[in-house]
Amino acid sequence: MRNWVKITLTLLLALLISGCSTKNLGEGNKPKIDETLEVIDSGSIRTISGITSIAFEWQKVDDSRVIGYNLYRANLSEESTKLKLVHFIENRYSSHFLDEDLTPNTKYAYTFSSGTSNDVESKPTKTFQVMTLPKPEGIAFIQAISNLPRQIKIIWRPHESEAVEYYKVFRSTPQDSDWEKLETLDGRLQAEYIDTDLKDNIVYLYKVIAYTFQDIPSLDSEIVKAQTKALPAGVQNLTATNNQPKKITLNWEPSASVDAVRYIIYRNTSPDGSFSELKQLNNATFTYEDFINEDGKRYFYKVTTIDKDGLESSPEVNPVMGITLTKLNKPILTLAQIQGEKAILNWQPGDNRAKFYNIYKTIKDSFFKTRKEKYTNITDLRFEDKDIVRGVEYQYSIEAVDENGIVSEKTNETLLVLPKLLDK
């Protein structure tokens, strides 16, 4: 009881020291008190508290000199608890007023006085205390769902208060103290938000705040975290052949990701730069033959994994090189001469892959006319040509052929001529 009397006397003293003019709320003039003016009956004052507002009701005064009412207020949570004039209610017949823009869950002290047109006011009513309501509780349940491809799903239980009109969803990361507002969702019964376009295998934090029809926020929800799905694992032990004719064969071990659905093969002519997609294969295939109609052709390859959500393993892996079987080295011609009535050619293999040889023969019948002949499947390292005519020029070249039909380049042409016989 003593404390209550002390607080009341202190607030009344503050009113006398810091009161403002009834018409100039911003001024700090000492109020002019007329003790004969009728005062609002303190017992008639009723209040209803909101979160950021307090409603007042009172019995109007009948004094004809009164033109309105002064409302004094002090925030009892602040260091200074002086009552200050905050509103002038400009009609003696008013009996209701709403004091707004207050702080939730805060105790305020109030008093009224009656005011006249010449800035004179009555004695104040008894000082009374009113407390605003706390913010609405946060939503009761919230969950963030992990392992989704580049997205996170947030679900919550709709707020129980029918005063809630909408929600705001906020995002942060464990490394960031700031919160980014993602979306405003209308409707108290909203219960889901999906955050998209996120980075792979990253942890994100979320909270949801409910807002009333008066835009008053609830307490923050619990902070929940979730992690986006990691990219699938790439294939293992990728190899490419270098000894197959007209093709390069790739082999690999499967990805360790259990939800891999297919593989994509990329190819490029160099280990750097942009790789082009060559082929897509199902997840049960671990080999591929790249048919290439060119000998000694070199390509670089990468193989990536695609999972059931369409995520692709990182292409930032070292490529492997494959080469089609190269051409044979051409034979080495060791002898080319006319012996008797024959043209004789001798040579050495030049390449141990050689299985047989082809001989090309160019016959110059006249200055303007030539014709060609080809002798194939020669397995010896010697060729004798008896089909020659005196005085005719013959040019010979040799190529080697391996078991796959790959041929070497031809040797340089060698000119042989069986001289004409001299007339006696």
Side-chain angles (χ1 to χ4, degrees), residues 192-305:
E192 175 183 283
Y193 177 75
I194 299 178
D195 191 13
T196 58
D197 298 326
L198 301 177
K199 296 180 180 179
D200 301 304
N201 200 29
I202 296 295
V203 173
Y204 294 92
L205 306 178
Y206 295 90
K207 66 180 180 180
V208 176
I209 301 176
Y211 286 78
T212 69
F213 286 90
Q214 293 77 35
D215 300 321
I216 299 169
S218 71
L219 297 176
D220 291 4
S221 73
E222 174 191 355
I223 295 174
V224 292
K225 69 179 180 179
Q227 186 169 352
T228 51
K229 186 179 182 182
L231 295 178
V235 302
Q236 304 178 65
N237 300 325
L238 174 65
T239 61
T241 58
N242 60 7
N243 60 356
Q244 293 184 308
K246 302 292 193 296
K247 69 178 180 180
I248 297 172
T249 300
L250 304 178
N251 290 283
W252 62 88
E253 295 177 12
S255 166
S257 297
V258 296
D259 62 349
V261 294
R262 65 183 184 276
Y263 301 107
I264 299 181
I265 300 173
Y266 294 91
R267 187 178 74 178
N268 193 25
T269 55
S270 73
D272 304 312
S274 177
F275 279 67
S276 301
E277 182 178 320
L278 178 63
K279 187 71 175 179
Q280 294 196 21
L281 302 168
N282 63 47
N283 63 344
T285 303
F286 312 117
T287 186
Y288 177 73
E289 292 182 330
D290 186 14
F291 289 94
I292 303 163
N293 191 28
E294 190 173 348
D295 300 317
K297 182 63 177 180
R298 182 180 69 174
Y299 280 114
F300 292 85
Y301 297 88
K302 295 181 180 182
V303 178
T304 61
T305 306

Side-chain angles (χ1 to χ4, degrees), residues 77-92:
S77 66
E78 296 178 349
E79 291 185 5
S80 174
T81 57
K82 290 182 179 180
L83 284 160
K84 296 180 181 179
L85 180 60
V86 290
H87 296 288
F88 177 68
I89 304 162
E90 297 182 348
N91 195 314
R92 174 166 62 91

Side-chain angles (χ1 to χ4, degrees), residues 305-341:
T305 306
I306 304 295
D307 69 12
K308 65 180 180 63
D309 294 309
L311 294 181
E312 183 174 7
S313 63
S314 174
E316 300 303 319
V317 293
N318 293 327
V320 299
M321 184 182 72
I323 307 174
T324 58
L325 195 60
T326 59
K327 288 182 177 294
L328 290 77
N329 294 322
K330 61 186 178 180
I332 302 170
L333 187 64
T334 58
L335 175 68
Q337 63 181 216
I338 299 294
Q339 293 182 3
E341 301 289 326

